[in-house]
């Protein structure tokens, strides 16, 4: 229910929210998260503690709001952000620069660890105004891949000054987002509705596969890969639709699901429970898509309170996890969709899920933490 959510008003528009990854053996829920801002005179990277679980009440409900541990100024809008490891965060700027910030936990400060000036640029790297926005970044420590408005793909290593590999004219349109498919392959999405696979083992600067939305070439803004079924990919675009792709077959999406009323900004499979997927949008909504097969049996937190839940009853119960996403119309088989924030009006720009916790940020200059997603 909504009372599980704590809000913090931060006097800047939040473009990205990311949980700090947990150590492999960690049992505790995530605590630290980072935010980046945009469209402010002075944009910032900030590290927050999600709040003190010691404040939990008798019934284990959570009190306390996120509190700021440290922050640092950032040139340009924060376009994307990913943790490289426990201490370092890679940030993509609208100026075209890519920066690694280090979080010093002993004295709670942030510093610049490394910077690639104008990793993305329109004319040439030397013109003063030539920077092109770096729109997306993805990390697989020590490797970092960036994409940009200039249609360029860079492969960096955290310990090396120069790019390991650059594909200069990877795309003639803007690349909006990137994710790893496996250690040597990445997926990009662009502004003409295409999803492309790039294999860094190949010397040629051509995608190994191209997929595209039929017809309208709607710009795609976000992409995520299913954590266990690496051939299942979700994308979201300007029309708010959720597309599910099976990259083993065909060149078009397996299913197109009506979702938001406006641009979908981010899509994330839950990293450890990928029956659950989350999307957020310019229209002020954040949707939880649940394809777990026991929807009807479990006492669902989704149906409490005045939430707008589209509950779809199902006749076929023995659907496997995989086919839930890959059936031609997943909604016919088993899916429950809930808008977790029914009354928000301004854009929800970013979300991140880890364990039982959700963090999201909005143009209403607020960050929100839900510590009991599956309570």
């Amino acid at each position: 229910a909504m009372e599980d959510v704590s809000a913090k008003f931060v006097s800047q528009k939040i473009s990205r929210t990311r949980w700090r990854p947990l150590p492999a053996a960690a049992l505790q829920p995530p605590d630290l998260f980072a935010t980046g801002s945009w469209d402010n005179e002075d944009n910032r990277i900030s590290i927050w503690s999600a709040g003190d679980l010691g404040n939990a009440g008798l019934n284990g409900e959570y009190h306390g709001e996120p509190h700021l541990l440290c922050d640092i100024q950032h040139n340009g809008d924060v376009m994307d952000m990913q943790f490289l490891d426990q201490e370092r965060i890679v940030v993509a700027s609208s100026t075209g620069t890519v920066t690694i910030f280090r979080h010093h936990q002993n004295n709670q400060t942030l510093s610049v660890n490394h910077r690639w000036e104008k990793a993305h640029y329109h004319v040439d790297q030397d013109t003063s105004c030539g920077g092109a926005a770096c729109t997306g970044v993805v990390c697989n420590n020590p490797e970092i891949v960036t994409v940009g408005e200039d249609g360029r793909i860079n492969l960096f290593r955290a310990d090396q000054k120069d790019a390991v590999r650059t594909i200069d004219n990877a795309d003639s349109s803007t690349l909006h987002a990137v994710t790893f498919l496996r250690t040597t392959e990445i997926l990009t999405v662009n502004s003409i509705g295409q999803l492309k696979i790039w294999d860094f083992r190949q010397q040629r600067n051509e995608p190994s596969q191209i997929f595209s939305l039929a017809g309208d070439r709607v710009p795609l803004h976000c992409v995520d890969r299913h954590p266990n079924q690496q051939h299942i990919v979700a994308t979201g675009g300007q029309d708010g639709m959720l597309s599910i792709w099976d990259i083993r077959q065909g060149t078009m999406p397996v299913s197109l699901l009506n979702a938001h009323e406006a641009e979908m900004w981010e899509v994330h499979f839950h990293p450890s429970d990928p029956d659950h997927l989350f999307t957020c949008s310019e229209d002020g909504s954040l949707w939880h898509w649940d394809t777990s097969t026991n929807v009807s049996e479990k006492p669902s937190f989704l149906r409490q309170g005045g939430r707008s839940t589209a509950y779809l009853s199902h006749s076929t119960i023995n659907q496997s996890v995989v086919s839930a996403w890959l059936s031609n119309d997943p909604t016919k088989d088993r899916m429950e969709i809930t808008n977790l924030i029914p009354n928000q009006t301004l854009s929800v720009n970013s979300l991140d899920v880890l364990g039982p916790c959700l963090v999201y940020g909005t143009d209403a200059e607020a960050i929100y933490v839900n510590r009991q997603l599956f309570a």
Side-chain angles (χ1 to χ4, degrees), residues 290-331:
D290 180 357
T291 64
S292 57
T293 47
N294 57 349
V295 166
S296 49
E297 290 80 36
K298 69 182 178 198
S300 174
F301 73 103
L302 299 172
R303 286 194 283 282
Q304 295 164 5
R307 290 229 187 133
S308 48
T309 296
Y311 180 65
L312 306 141
S313 63
H314 308 282
S315 48
T316 47
I317 286 170
N318 56 357
Q319 291 278 318
S320 74
V321 173
V322 185
S323 61
W325 288 117
L326 291 186
S327 64
N328 287 333
D329 180 5
T331 50

mmCIF file of all heavy atoms in Angstrom, residues 290-331:
data_model
loop_
_atom_site.group_PDB
_atom_site.id
_atom_site.type_symbol
_atom_site.label_atom_id
_atom_site.label_comp_id
_atom_site.label_asym_id
_atom_site.label_seq_id
_atom_site.Cartn_x
_atom_site.Cartn_y
_atom_site.Cartn_z
ATOM 1 N N ASP A 290 3.115 -8.248 -13.584
ATOM 2 C CA ASP A 290 3.368 -9.483 -12.845
ATOM 3 C C ASP A 290 2.858 -10.665 -13.658
ATOM 4 O O ASP A 290 1.666 -10.809 -13.871
ATOM 5 C CB ASP A 290 2.634 -9.396 -11.498
ATOM 6 C CG ASP A 290 2.826 -10.640 -10.641
ATOM 7 O OD1 ASP A 290 3.486 -11.593 -11.113
ATOM 8 O OD2 ASP A 290 2.307 -10.656 -9.520
ATOM 9 N N THR A 291 3.794 -11.499 -14.138
ATOM 10 C CA THR A 291 3.385 -12.687 -14.901
ATOM 11 C C THR A 291 3.580 -13.957 -14.100
ATOM 12 O O THR A 291 3.523 -15.047 -14.649
ATOM 13 C CB THR A 291 4.224 -12.842 -16.191
ATOM 14 O OG1 THR A 291 5.585 -13.056 -15.820
ATOM 15 C CG2 THR A 291 4.142 -11.608 -17.059
ATOM 16 N N SER A 292 3.866 -13.828 -12.778
ATOM 17 C CA SER A 292 4.092 -15.046 -12.002
ATOM 18 C C SER A 292 2.807 -15.868 -12.008
ATOM 19 O O SER A 292 1.718 -15.318 -11.903
ATOM 20 C CB SER A 292 4.547 -14.713 -10.575
ATOM 21 O OG SER A 292 3.606 -13.889 -9.952
ATOM 22 N N THR A 293 2.953 -17.186 -12.141
ATOM 23 C CA THR A 293 1.777 -18.000 -12.469
ATOM 24 C C THR A 293 0.799 -18.164 -11.330
ATOM 25 O O THR A 293 -0.320 -18.567 -11.536
ATOM 26 C CB THR A 293 2.222 -19.402 -12.931
ATOM 27 O OG1 THR A 293 3.194 -19.884 -12.005
ATOM 28 C CG2 THR A 293 2.819 -19.340 -14.309
ATOM 29 N N ASN A 294 1.205 -17.845 -10.112
ATOM 30 C CA ASN A 294 0.277 -18.068 -9.013
ATOM 31 C C ASN A 294 -0.427 -16.781 -8.591
ATOM 32 O O ASN A 294 -0.772 -16.600 -7.444
ATOM 33 C CB ASN A 294 1.001 -18.681 -7.815
ATOM 34 C CG ASN A 294 2.144 -17.784 -7.383
ATOM 35 O OD1 ASN A 294 2.496 -16.839 -8.087
ATOM 36 N ND2 ASN A 294 2.704 -18.061 -6.219
ATOM 37 N N VAL A 295 -0.625 -15.883 -9.551
ATOM 38 C CA VAL A 295 -1.240 -14.599 -9.243
ATOM 39 C C VAL A 295 -2.531 -14.767 -8.450
ATOM 40 O O VAL A 295 -2.755 -14.116 -7.441
ATOM 41 C CB VAL A 295 -1.534 -13.810 -10.536
ATOM 42 C CG1 VAL A 295 -2.477 -12.653 -10.249
ATOM 43 C CG2 VAL A 295 -0.239 -13.299 -11.131
ATOM 44 N N SER A 296 -3.394 -15.684 -8.898
ATOM 45 C CA SER A 296 -4.716 -15.750 -8.271
ATOM 46 C C SER A 296 -4.658 -16.357 -6.875
ATOM 47 O O SER A 296 -5.524 -16.113 -6.064
ATOM 48 C CB SER A 296 -5.663 -16.560 -9.148
ATOM 49 O OG SER A 296 -5.047 -17.767 -9.508
ATOM 50 N N GLU A 297 -3.612 -17.149 -6.597
ATOM 51 C CA GLU A 297 -3.565 -17.808 -5.287
ATOM 52 C C GLU A 297 -2.971 -16.911 -4.215
ATOM 53 O O GLU A 297 -3.291 -17.038 -3.061
ATOM 54 C CB GLU A 297 -2.724 -19.086 -5.350
ATOM 55 C CG GLU A 297 -3.375 -20.210 -6.151
ATOM 56 C CD GLU A 297 -3.194 -20.040 -7.641
ATOM 57 O OE1 GLU A 297 -2.111 -19.560 -8.042
ATOM 58 O OE2 GLU A 297 -4.120 -20.374 -8.399
ATOM 59 N N LYS A 298 -2.058 -16.019 -4.609
ATOM 60 C CA LYS A 298 -1.367 -15.318 -3.534
ATOM 61 C C LYS A 298 -2.188 -14.127 -3.054
ATOM 62 O O LYS A 298 -2.893 -13.497 -3.839
ATOM 63 C CB LYS A 298 0.018 -14.882 -3.988
ATOM 64 C CG LYS A 298 0.033 -13.805 -5.031
ATOM 65 C CD LYS A 298 1.461 -13.512 -5.433
ATOM 66 C CE LYS A 298 1.447 -12.445 -6.529
ATOM 67 N NZ LYS A 298 2.680 -12.388 -7.245
ATOM 68 N N PRO A 299 -2.118 -13.826 -1.760
ATOM 69 C CA PRO A 299 -2.824 -12.642 -1.263
ATOM 70 C C PRO A 299 -2.090 -11.435 -1.816
ATOM 71 O O PRO A 299 -0.998 -11.115 -1.381
ATOM 72 C CB PRO A 299 -2.655 -12.738 0.255
ATOM 73 C CG PRO A 299 -1.418 -13.549 0.434
ATOM 74 C CD PRO A 299 -1.304 -14.465 -0.743
ATOM 75 N N SER A 300 -2.651 -10.794 -2.790
ATOM 76 C CA SER A 300 -1.879 -9.804 -3.525
ATOM 77 C C SER A 300 -1.993 -8.437 -2.905
ATOM 78 O O SER A 300 -3.078 -7.924 -2.689
ATOM 79 C CB SER A 300 -2.365 -9.749 -4.965
ATOM 80 O OG SER A 300 -1.711 -8.710 -5.628
ATOM 81 N N PHE A 301 -0.819 -7.836 -2.641
ATOM 82 C CA PHE A 301 -0.814 -6.444 -2.177
ATOM 83 C C PHE A 301 -1.359 -5.549 -3.282
ATOM 84 O O PHE A 301 -1.707 -4.409 -3.068
ATOM 85 C CB PHE A 301 0.615 -6.024 -1.817
ATOM 86 C CG PHE A 301 1.523 -5.816 -2.994
ATOM 87 C CD1 PHE A 301 1.823 -4.537 -3.409
ATOM 88 C CD2 PHE A 301 2.076 -6.895 -3.674
ATOM 89 C CE1 PHE A 301 2.680 -4.335 -4.500
ATOM 90 C CE2 PHE A 301 2.915 -6.700 -4.752
ATOM 91 C CZ PHE A 301 3.216 -5.402 -5.167
ATOM 92 N N LEU A 302 -1.429 -6.095 -4.500
ATOM 93 C CA LEU A 302 -1.850 -5.263 -5.626
ATOM 94 C C LEU A 302 -3.326 -4.925 -5.551
ATOM 95 O O LEU A 302 -3.771 -3.981 -6.171
ATOM 96 C CB LEU A 302 -1.586 -6.005 -6.940
ATOM 97 C CG LEU A 302 -0.123 -6.342 -7.193
ATOM 98 C CD1 LEU A 302 0.006 -7.222 -8.398
ATOM 99 C CD2 LEU A 302 0.675 -5.077 -7.383
ATOM 100 N N ARG A 303 -4.101 -5.711 -4.821
ATOM 101 C CA ARG A 303 -5.536 -5.465 -4.857
ATOM 102 C C ARG A 303 -6.043 -4.769 -3.602
ATOM 103 O O ARG A 303 -7.228 -4.738 -3.351
ATOM 104 C CB ARG A 303 -6.274 -6.787 -5.067
ATOM 105 C CG ARG A 303 -6.130 -7.270 -6.502
ATOM 106 C CD ARG A 303 -7.107 -8.363 -6.822
ATOM 107 N NE ARG A 303 -6.693 -9.642 -6.257
ATOM 108 C CZ ARG A 303 -5.761 -10.416 -6.785
ATOM 109 N NH1 ARG A 303 -5.148 -10.044 -7.872
ATOM 110 N NH2 ARG A 303 -5.448 -11.556 -6.220
ATOM 111 N N GLN A 304 -5.114 -4.235 -2.808
ATOM 112 C CA GLN A 304 -5.563 -3.508 -1.615
ATOM 113 C C GLN A 304 -5.704 -2.037 -1.956
ATOM 114 O O GLN A 304 -4.957 -1.494 -2.739
ATOM 115 C CB GLN A 304 -4.541 -3.642 -0.486
ATOM 116 C CG GLN A 304 -4.399 -5.072 -0.006
ATOM 117 C CD GLN A 304 -3.127 -5.241 0.806
ATOM 118 O OE1 GLN A 304 -2.430 -4.280 1.063
ATOM 119 N NE2 GLN A 304 -2.845 -6.471 1.183
ATOM 120 N N GLY A 305 -6.652 -1.398 -1.333
ATOM 121 C CA GLY A 305 -6.763 0.040 -1.491
ATOM 122 C C GLY A 305 -7.290 0.415 -2.860
ATOM 123 O O GLY A 305 -7.617 -0.434 -3.676
ATOM 124 N N GLY A 306 -7.361 1.698 -3.114
ATOM 125 C CA GLY A 306 -8.001 2.158 -4.351
ATOM 126 C C GLY A 306 -7.036 2.200 -5.496
ATOM 127 O O GLY A 306 -6.910 3.191 -6.185
ATOM 128 N N ARG A 307 -6.327 1.110 -5.719
ATOM 129 C CA ARG A 307 -5.360 1.111 -6.806
ATOM 130 C C ARG A 307 -6.034 0.773 -8.112
ATOM 131 O O ARG A 307 -6.964 -0.017 -8.148
ATOM 132 C CB ARG A 307 -4.316 0.042 -6.528
ATOM 133 C CG ARG A 307 -3.455 0.445 -5.362
ATOM 134 C CD ARG A 307 -2.067 0.265 -5.759
ATOM 135 N NE ARG A 307 -1.210 0.489 -4.610
ATOM 136 C CZ ARG A 307 -0.244 -0.322 -4.301
ATOM 137 N NH1 ARG A 307 -0.051 -1.391 -5.007
ATOM 138 N NH2 ARG A 307 0.541 -0.047 -3.308
ATOM 139 N N SER A 308 -5.477 1.306 -9.167
ATOM 140 C CA SER A 308 -6.039 0.968 -10.473
ATOM 141 C C SER A 308 -5.353 -0.306 -10.951
ATOM 142 O O SER A 308 -4.320 -0.255 -11.585
ATOM 143 C CB SER A 308 -5.757 2.105 -11.444
ATOM 144 O OG SER A 308 -4.406 2.469 -11.351
ATOM 145 N N THR A 309 -5.913 -1.432 -10.631
ATOM 146 C CA THR A 309 -5.311 -2.709 -11.015
ATOM 147 C C THR A 309 -6.127 -3.309 -12.151
ATOM 148 O O THR A 309 -7.331 -3.482 -12.033
ATOM 149 C CB THR A 309 -5.332 -3.701 -9.831
ATOM 150 O OG1 THR A 309 -4.515 -3.163 -8.795
ATOM 151 C CG2 THR A 309 -4.781 -5.048 -10.252
ATOM 152 N N ALA A 310 -5.439 -3.591 -13.249
ATOM 153 C CA ALA A 310 -6.119 -4.310 -14.318
ATOM 154 C C ALA A 310 -5.865 -5.781 -14.036
ATOM 155 O O ALA A 310 -4.780 -6.283 -14.297
ATOM 156 C CB ALA A 310 -5.525 -3.922 -15.661
ATOM 157 N N TYR A 311 -6.813 -6.467 -13.473
ATOM 158 C CA TYR A 311 -6.582 -7.871 -13.144
ATOM 159 C C TYR A 311 -7.165 -8.738 -14.236
ATOM 160 O O TYR A 311 -8.314 -8.596 -14.622
ATOM 161 C CB TYR A 311 -7.217 -8.244 -11.801
ATOM 162 C CG TYR A 311 -6.955 -9.696 -11.490
ATOM 163 C CD1 TYR A 311 -5.644 -10.124 -11.281
ATOM 164 C CD2 TYR A 311 -7.968 -10.632 -11.464
ATOM 165 C CE1 TYR A 311 -5.366 -11.451 -11.037
ATOM 166 C CE2 TYR A 311 -7.699 -11.967 -11.219
ATOM 167 C CZ TYR A 311 -6.396 -12.362 -11.002
ATOM 168 O OH TYR A 311 -6.121 -13.677 -10.768
ATOM 169 N N LEU A 312 -6.349 -9.625 -14.753
ATOM 170 C CA LEU A 312 -6.782 -10.443 -15.880
ATOM 171 C C LEU A 312 -6.904 -11.878 -15.398
ATOM 172 O O LEU A 312 -5.945 -12.466 -14.931
ATOM 173 C CB LEU A 312 -5.742 -10.321 -16.983
ATOM 174 C CG LEU A 312 -5.511 -8.847 -17.324
ATOM 175 C CD1 LEU A 312 -4.067 -8.572 -17.600
ATOM 176 C CD2 LEU A 312 -6.373 -8.441 -18.480
ATOM 177 N N SER A 313 -8.087 -12.421 -15.491
ATOM 178 C CA SER A 313 -8.250 -13.802 -15.016
ATOM 179 C C SER A 313 -7.736 -14.740 -16.099
ATOM 180 O O SER A 313 -7.649 -14.383 -17.263
ATOM 181 C CB SER A 313 -9.712 -14.095 -14.736
ATOM 182 O OG SER A 313 -10.429 -13.993 -15.933
ATOM 183 N N HIS A 314 -7.433 -15.953 -15.715
ATOM 184 C CA HIS A 314 -6.709 -16.832 -16.621
ATOM 185 C C HIS A 314 -7.262 -18.242 -16.587
ATOM 186 O O HIS A 314 -7.626 -18.746 -15.543
ATOM 187 C CB HIS A 314 -5.240 -16.890 -16.202
ATOM 188 C CG HIS A 314 -4.656 -15.533 -16.062
ATOM 189 N ND1 HIS A 314 -4.263 -14.795 -17.127
ATOM 190 C CD2 HIS A 314 -4.434 -14.762 -14.973
ATOM 191 C CE1 HIS A 314 -3.807 -13.639 -16.712
ATOM 192 N NE2 HIS A 314 -3.907 -13.590 -15.407
ATOM 193 N N SER A 315 -7.276 -18.838 -17.734
ATOM 194 C CA SER A 315 -7.742 -20.213 -17.786
ATOM 195 C C SER A 315 -6.565 -21.174 -17.749
ATOM 196 O O SER A 315 -6.653 -22.248 -17.195
ATOM 197 C CB SER A 315 -8.547 -20.429 -19.057
ATOM 198 O OG SER A 315 -7.821 -19.905 -20.143
ATOM 199 N N THR A 316 -5.450 -20.785 -18.348
ATOM 200 C CA THR A 316 -4.315 -21.711 -18.432
ATOM 201 C C THR A 316 -3.337 -21.435 -17.303
ATOM 202 O O THR A 316 -2.703 -20.399 -17.278
ATOM 203 C CB THR A 316 -3.583 -21.541 -19.767
ATOM 204 O OG1 THR A 316 -3.400 -20.130 -19.961
ATOM 205 C CG2 THR A 316 -4.403 -22.095 -20.905
ATOM 206 N N ILE A 317 -3.234 -22.371 -16.397
ATOM 207 C CA ILE A 317 -2.378 -22.152 -15.241
ATOM 208 C C ILE A 317 -0.990 -22.755 -15.434
ATOM 209 O O ILE A 317 -0.019 -22.315 -14.868
ATOM 210 C CB ILE A 317 -3.062 -22.729 -13.970
ATOM 211 C CG1 ILE A 317 -4.202 -21.791 -13.597
ATOM 212 C CG2 ILE A 317 -2.067 -22.835 -12.816
ATOM 213 C CD1 ILE A 317 -5.118 -22.317 -12.545
ATOM 214 N N ASN A 318 -0.874 -23.740 -16.317
ATOM 215 C CA ASN A 318 0.405 -24.431 -16.425
ATOM 216 C C ASN A 318 1.347 -23.774 -17.428
ATOM 217 O O ASN A 318 2.140 -24.439 -18.056
ATOM 218 C CB ASN A 318 0.167 -25.893 -16.819
ATOM 219 C CG ASN A 318 -0.629 -25.973 -18.099
ATOM 220 O OD1 ASN A 318 -1.037 -24.954 -18.627
ATOM 221 N ND2 ASN A 318 -0.852 -27.182 -18.597
ATOM 222 N N GLN A 319 1.249 -22.479 -17.578
ATOM 223 C CA GLN A 319 2.176 -21.775 -18.468
ATOM 224 C C GLN A 319 3.553 -21.714 -17.809
ATOM 225 O O GLN A 319 3.650 -21.428 -16.627
ATOM 226 C CB GLN A 319 1.676 -20.341 -18.674
ATOM 227 C CG GLN A 319 0.414 -20.261 -19.490
ATOM 228 C CD GLN A 319 0.733 -20.330 -20.960
ATOM 229 O OE1 GLN A 319 1.681 -19.723 -21.415
ATOM 230 N NE2 GLN A 319 -0.038 -21.084 -21.696
ATOM 231 N N SER A 320 4.596 -21.934 -18.584
ATOM 232 C CA SER A 320 5.926 -21.808 -17.987
ATOM 233 C C SER A 320 6.288 -20.328 -17.883
ATOM 234 O O SER A 320 5.711 -19.489 -18.550
ATOM 235 C CB SER A 320 6.955 -22.524 -18.848
ATOM 236 O OG SER A 320 7.196 -21.759 -20.004
ATOM 237 N N VAL A 321 7.268 -20.057 -17.057
ATOM 238 C CA VAL A 321 7.721 -18.680 -16.864
ATOM 239 C C VAL A 321 8.076 -18.044 -18.205
ATOM 240 O O VAL A 321 7.704 -16.919 -18.496
ATOM 241 C CB VAL A 321 9.002 -18.682 -15.982
ATOM 242 C CG1 VAL A 321 9.576 -17.289 -15.906
ATOM 243 C CG2 VAL A 321 8.669 -19.201 -14.599
ATOM 244 N N VAL A 322 8.811 -18.786 -19.001
ATOM 245 C CA VAL A 322 9.309 -18.228 -20.254
ATOM 246 C C VAL A 322 8.161 -17.824 -21.151
ATOM 247 O O VAL A 322 8.099 -16.712 -21.634
ATOM 248 C CB VAL A 322 10.173 -19.263 -20.998
ATOM 249 C CG1 VAL A 322 10.772 -18.631 -22.222
ATOM 250 C CG2 VAL A 322 11.270 -19.778 -20.079
ATOM 251 N N SER A 323 7.217 -18.731 -21.342
ATOM 252 C CA SER A 323 6.166 -18.420 -22.298
ATOM 253 C C SER A 323 5.251 -17.317 -21.798
ATOM 254 O O SER A 323 4.532 -16.714 -22.558
ATOM 255 C CB SER A 323 5.360 -19.667 -22.641
ATOM 256 O OG SER A 323 4.746 -20.169 -21.487
ATOM 257 N N ALA A 324 5.296 -17.051 -20.498
ATOM 258 C CA ALA A 324 4.492 -15.934 -20.009
ATOM 259 C C ALA A 324 4.878 -14.654 -20.742
ATOM 260 O O ALA A 324 4.020 -13.906 -21.168
ATOM 261 C CB ALA A 324 4.679 -15.771 -18.501
ATOM 262 N N TRP A 325 6.190 -14.430 -20.917
ATOM 263 C CA TRP A 325 6.594 -13.227 -21.649
ATOM 264 C C TRP A 325 6.547 -13.431 -23.156
ATOM 265 O O TRP A 325 6.360 -12.470 -23.900
ATOM 266 C CB TRP A 325 8.018 -12.793 -21.238
ATOM 267 C CG TRP A 325 8.100 -12.209 -19.866
ATOM 268 C CD1 TRP A 325 8.801 -12.695 -18.797
ATOM 269 C CD2 TRP A 325 7.443 -11.027 -19.384
ATOM 270 N NE1 TRP A 325 8.616 -11.891 -17.698
ATOM 271 C CE2 TRP A 325 7.792 -10.855 -18.029
ATOM 272 C CE3 TRP A 325 6.590 -10.086 -19.981
ATOM 273 C CZ2 TRP A 325 7.326 -9.791 -17.252
ATOM 274 C CZ3 TRP A 325 6.125 -9.027 -19.201
ATOM 275 C CH2 TRP A 325 6.490 -8.892 -17.862
ATOM 276 N N LEU A 326 6.729 -14.679 -23.598
ATOM 277 C CA LEU A 326 6.871 -14.889 -25.036
ATOM 278 C C LEU A 326 5.597 -15.315 -25.750
ATOM 279 O O LEU A 326 5.590 -15.429 -26.961
ATOM 280 C CB LEU A 326 7.972 -15.918 -25.330
ATOM 281 C CG LEU A 326 9.391 -15.437 -25.026
ATOM 282 C CD1 LEU A 326 10.401 -16.465 -25.498
ATOM 283 C CD2 LEU A 326 9.667 -14.089 -25.673
ATOM 284 N N SER A 327 4.515 -15.570 -25.018
ATOM 285 C CA SER A 327 3.290 -15.915 -25.731
ATOM 286 C C SER A 327 2.854 -14.684 -26.522
ATOM 287 O O SER A 327 3.189 -13.562 -26.165
ATOM 288 C CB SER A 327 2.200 -16.320 -24.746
ATOM 289 O OG SER A 327 1.888 -15.215 -23.943
ATOM 290 N N ASN A 328 2.096 -14.910 -27.607
ATOM 291 C CA ASN A 328 1.769 -13.790 -28.485
ATOM 292 C C ASN A 328 1.026 -12.680 -27.773
ATOM 293 O O ASN A 328 1.130 -11.522 -28.120
ATOM 294 C CB ASN A 328 0.949 -14.269 -29.674
ATOM 295 C CG ASN A 328 1.837 -15.040 -30.626
ATOM 296 O OD1 ASN A 328 3.038 -14.781 -30.667
ATOM 297 N ND2 ASN A 328 1.276 -15.985 -31.347
ATOM 298 N N ASP A 329 0.243 -13.042 -26.770
ATOM 299 C CA ASP A 329 -0.419 -12.024 -25.970
ATOM 300 C C ASP A 329 -0.339 -12.440 -24.508
ATOM 301 O O ASP A 329 -1.207 -13.137 -24.015
ATOM 302 C CB ASP A 329 -1.875 -11.864 -26.410
ATOM 303 C CG ASP A 329 -2.579 -10.802 -25.583
ATOM 304 O OD1 ASP A 329 -1.901 -10.150 -24.754
ATOM 305 O OD2 ASP A 329 -3.786 -10.630 -25.747
ATOM 306 N N PRO A 330 0.744 -12.043 -23.832
ATOM 307 C CA PRO A 330 0.952 -12.499 -22.454
ATOM 308 C C PRO A 330 -0.268 -12.219 -21.573
ATOM 309 O O PRO A 330 -0.541 -12.956 -20.649
ATOM 310 C CB PRO A 330 2.154 -11.674 -21.978
ATOM 311 C CG PRO A 330 2.859 -11.268 -23.209
ATOM 312 C CD PRO A 330 1.812 -11.136 -24.279
ATOM 313 N N THR A 331 -0.992 -11.131 -21.885
ATOM 314 C CA THR A 331 -2.103 -10.762 -21.017
ATOM 315 C C THR A 331 -3.200 -11.817 -21.024
ATOM 316 O O THR A 331 -3.953 -11.940 -20.080
ATOM 317 C CB THR A 331 -2.704 -9.416 -21.458
ATOM 318 O OG1 THR A 331 -2.962 -9.473 -22.853
ATOM 319 C CG2 THR A 331 -1.742 -8.288 -21.171
#
